[in-house]
Amino acid sequence: MSSSLTVDEQFREQLEVASRLGALGADARDLTGLFRALHYEIARVMDGTVFLFALYDEETQTVEVVRQIDRGIEHEGGSFPLGKGFTSEVIRTGAPRLVRRWSAEGPPIRLLYGTEAGELVAPQSGAVVPVLSGGRVLGVLSVQSYRPDAYDDADVLSLGAIAAQAGIAIKRLRAMDQLAQEHERRAQQLEAVLASMNDALLIVDARGAIVRLNRAARELLRLDSASLVLGQPLERQRLEQWPSGAREITAALVPAIDAIRSGTNIEEEVEIELREGERRVLSMGASVLRSAKGVAQGGVIVFHDITMKRDLEQLREDIFEMAWHDMQTPITVIRAYGELLLRRLSSGDREKKLSKSAAEAIVRHADRLAELLTTLFDVHCLEAGLLSISRWPTDLAALAREVTEGLRPTARRQIEVLADGSAVGEWDERRLRQVLMNLLSNAIKYSPEDSAIAVSIGADERSATVCVRDQGIGLDDGELAQLFRRGYRAESARRVTGRGLGLYFSHGIVAAHGGRMWAESAGHGQGSTFYFALPLREERSVDGAVDARA
Ligand code: ADP
């Protein structure tokens, strides 16, 4: 074909072909696109009546035909195992094959299509070249014609040059594919991380519209469906559109979104009082996301619930204050009696009775100090979730009798214990003694001298219940509802000293055993009854024991 051209023209044509080839398949987004680009180029330089583009899968030894075209009609690809045809031969040898006259040279080309009016129409000549990459055969390009002698060595060379470009394009497409898979994998990982995060996370665009939010954010914002808010710029005047339970938190979101819109990061703590009266302390961070050129493109807002942390800090402060307040007296007393003893010893005063009473006062107040420290430590452990329960077979009835006996001599109240037999379970005896001590000493503290206090212990097959009934100051409904809160003391109880920690701690101990504590009273001056129920077997559901009772 090119033999009639001048040397100059031939050179120019070659240059043109070379530059066209360089760009071959560069725009192809997938293998079909590449197939079309290859066919277009092939048809420009040789007979491209039939063209087949196939890839070879080494692992399964299968030829995967991407697509083929026959007289202008494109056909779907298919696959076949490596066989005896020319295509397979080229794949095996990695060398091109020119078939000038098919009928004379070998097996008919493998056609996946091609009957015409019921007859098989077979091409008469063809050329097959391997698509190589680093010595490995990636696939083949195969052209055929219904004319014999349609191709010569120059065509095989041209087809080889096109195949070289096809090899580059295939590698690029595979890399793109890998990249896409990698992106997909990363996106899935990120999605999983976001979903499992406890912190609420929202992504907003440059307009301040929420474009994404995770499960925790949906929960925090009380959104059943994210579609309610996605894509809407969040502004103060639009807050009314939000679900009513979420408005307090959404209101806190507005300044964060405003900050992101203006390109500033913020980090602050917001205390939010939810409508149902629940207090939440949230730390909020808003970070602006910028493009590579530094243009603000929206940002990420993260809410971290620090209510527990804040409560613990508050507790620590309370404990410190309580310790400071309650330790003053015993320390002053211990010091005063210590000084007194010292003076006596140095002056040679041998009056035993006075020294004895001074030493007794020191011991008594040191005990008070120790007890105070234990209570504070226990409360701290309870709040921090560190309260440990050492289970051991314990008889609740025997324990109640023992605690009562210990208190009786100084009680100045008529205490009786009613128990039918024993109530034995796997419980922490030391902790339950603290609970009984607290209930009994409260019954004594908050009732008049000589009144009656009844301690009864009963058990069914599921749980054991202790009941402490007094004839004291009683409690109204409002007080009953708050009794077990840390530091709570009813107005009517304030003339007696106390810290409001005993019931809170006792309640915690009972809960740690899987049980429940509650109180009943007919009102002020009507006496009170305190109960606690413990499951007899550890694996028994807490609710079962409690619900049966409640
Ligand atoms: P404290 O007795 O040191 O104040 P508690 O936690 O033991 O702390 O009790 C909390 C509050 O519950 C008491 O201040 C009192 O108001 C109320 N209370 C507890 N026991 C009784 C009782 N038996 N009768 C009436 N009120 C009680």
Side-chain angles (χ1 to χ4, degrees):
M1 238 197 309
S2 23
S3 52
S4 59
L5 299 176
T6 64
V7 175
D8 234 24
E9 282 169 336
Q10 279 181 22
F11 183 62
R12 208 171 308 130
E13 192 183 76
Q14 276 166 7
L15 268 181
E16 209 185 291
V17 170
S19 74
R20 266 206 329 266
L21 281 184
L24 183 64
D27 295 336
R29 307 197 128 263
D30 53 21
L31 289 170
T32 304
L34 179 61
F35 163 82
R36 288 184 188 142
L38 290 170
H39 182 245
Y40 180 77
E41 184 55 38
I42 286 167
R44 289 175 73 127
V45 291
M46 67 188 78
D47 184 339
T49 311
V50 176
F51 168 57
L52 174 146
F53 170 33
L55 296 177
Y56 176 56
D57 183 354
E58 253 176 33
E59 217 169 282
T60 56
Q61 301 211 324
T62 309
V63 183
E64 318 251 357
V65 179
V66 175
R67 274 184 108 70
Q68 43 199 337
I69 190 163
D70 179 13
R71 286 160 287 173
I73 299 174
E74 249 186 64
H75 297 268
E76 284 289 318
S79 64
F80 56 86
L82 209 58
K84 293 198 173 87
F86 288 131
T87 309
S88 299
E89 181 196 313
V90 169
I91 290 173
R92 265 201 204 94
T93 59
R97 182 74 152 91
L98 174 64
V99 186
R100 290 181 196 272
R101 278 177 182 269
W102 219 291
S103 51
E105 287 181 51
I109 187 160
R110 180 116 196 185
L111 281 179
L112 299 173
Y113 55 92
T115 52
E116 216 154 75
E119 273 181 51
L120 188 72
V121 199
Q124 295 303 306
S125 57
V128 189
V129 298
V131 177
L132 296 167
S133 167
R136 284 176 53 209
V137 179
L138 295 183
V140 289
L141 302 186
S142 168
V143 282
Q144 292 118 46
S145 169
Y146 291 98
R147 290 182 294 119
D149 281 320
Y151 307 101
D152 56 18
D153 290 338
D155 292 320
V156 172
L157 279 179
S158 303
L159 200 56
I162 293 171
Q165 294 309 312
I168 295 169
I170 290 169
K171 278 191 6 199
R172 182 181 60 80
L173 286 176
R174 284 188 176 161
M176 258 167 59
D177 212 39
Q178 251 179 11
L179 212 66
Q181 279 176 16
E182 182 66 7
H183 273 303
E184 174 81 20
R185 203 173 54 80
R186 291 240 178 108
Q188 279 171 358
Q189 276 175 354
L190 187 68
E191 204 59 40
V193 169
L194 291 187
S196 62
M197 266 174 78
N198 286 331
D199 289 350
L201 180 137
L202 299 103
I203 301 176
V204 294
D205 65 14
R207 295 177 305 136
I210 298 174
V211 287
R212 185 158 217 147
L213 70 175
N214 68 353
R215 179 195 44 81
R218 255 192 289 272
E219 277 170 21
L220 184 69
L221 298 170
R222 319 268 160 113
L223 297 171
D224 298 330
S225 143
S227 56
L228 258 174
V229 293
L230 284 184
Q232 297 215 34
L234 196 76
E235 285 148 357
R236 198 166 293 281
Q237 56 273 30
R238 288 192 197 227
L239 288 184
E240 288 309 307
Q241 296 169 358
W242 283 69
S244 61
R247 288 197 197 127
E248 296 84 355
I249 290 180
T250 321
L253 205 57
V254 174
I257 291 193
D258 286 347
I260 286 178
R261 270 213 211 100
S262 65
T264 15
N265 293 340
I266 55 166
E267 193 68 56
E268 65 182 42
E269 249 168 46
V270 279
E271 191 154 326
I272 295 166
E273 191 86 40
L274 297 182
R275 202 155 284 197
E276 304 92 80
E278 190 193 337
R279 182 188 63 102
R280 301 279 284 272
V281 187
L282 302 170
S283 86
M284 179 182 66
S287 319
V288 180
L289 293 175
R290 293 183 189 280
S291 68
K293 288 182 183 148
V295 181
Q297 291 187 318
V300 181
I301 300 169
V302 180
F303 281 103
H304 180 56
D305 194 331
I306 52 166
T307 317
M308 276 261 286
K309 187 172 157 244
R310 209 23 50 86
D311 282 354
L312 262 178
E313 282 167 9
Q314 184 60 47
L315 173 76
R316 248 172 245 142
E317 262 174 47
D318 289 354
I319 286 180
F320 182 76
E321 258 176 47
M322 268 187 261
W324 175 250
H325 178 260
D326 291 9
M327 281 180 186
Q328 302 274 3
T329 317
I331 289 174
T332 315
V333 174
I334 289 170
R335 193 181 158 79
Y337 281 112
E339 269 180 15
L340 186 73
L341 272 178
L342 209 59
R343 252 185 281 131
R344 289 239 170 88
L345 286 172
S346 4
S347 66
D349 186 344
R350 294 280 177 261
E351 172 54 83
K352 271 202 184 139
K353 217 170 135 204
L354 282 176
S355 300
K356 188 170 171 256
S357 80
E360 275 168 358
I362 290 176
V363 170
R364 216 173 35 251
H365 284 89
D367 283 350
R368 264 192 72 187
L369 270 183
E371 184 215 329
L372 174 68
L373 282 175
T374 310
T375 308
L376 296 181
F377 181 71
D378 283 346
V379 170
H380 170 78
C381 288
L382 177 65
E383 286 266 326
L386 300 172
L387 190 79
S388 61
I389 297 293
S390 314
R391 292 179 185 269
W392 202 254
T394 304
D395 182 352
L396 211 47
L399 192 63
R401 276 192 211 99
E402 183 199 310
V403 173
T404 310
E405 288 321 310
L407 288 170
R408 214 190 289 279
T410 52
R412 296 203 286 265
R413 313 289 188 277
Q414 318 294 323
I415 312 179
E416 61 168 340
V417 180
L418 309 159
D420 307 331
S422 59
V424 182
E426 298 265 319
W427 301 309
D428 187 325
E429 188 185 310
R430 186 176 74 90
R431 294 294 186 197
L432 292 184
R433 183 177 284 114
Q434 286 177 299
V435 176
L436 285 163
M437 270 297 270
N438 174 240
L439 293 185
L440 266 162
S441 50
N442 277 352
I444 295 168
K445 247 176 21 182
Y446 300 113
S447 64
E449 277 193 23
D450 294 325
S451 62
I453 295 173
V455 184
S456 49
I457 300 100
D460 56 23
E461 70 283 5
R462 300 175 76 184
S463 59
T465 306
V466 176
C467 158
V468 179
R469 187 185 308 274
D470 66 47
Q471 299 176 324
I473 60 171
L475 295 148
D476 65 20
D477 286 349
E479 291 163 346
L480 280 170
Q482 304 185 69
L483 271 186
F484 301 105
R485 279 174 50 181
R486 171 160 58 84
Y488 177 75
R489 304 207 68 217
E491 195 63 49
S492 49
R494 306 242 166 109
R495 53 184 183 82
V496 188
T497 52
R499 298 187 204 97
L501 292 178
L503 283 182
Y504 167 74
F505 184 58
S506 298
H507 183 267
I509 290 175
V510 171
H513 278 85
R516 193 181 155 210
M517 179 177 262
W518 70 102
E520 289 169 2
S521 171
H524 285 157
Q526 309 286 309
S528 325
T529 310
F530 283 78
Y531 300 88
F532 70 91
L534 301 172
L536 281 168
R537 265 167 288 280
E538 199 184 331
E539 64 275 13
R540 277 255 186 263
S541 109
V542 180
D543 296 346
V546 171
D547 289 351
R549 192 68 195 75

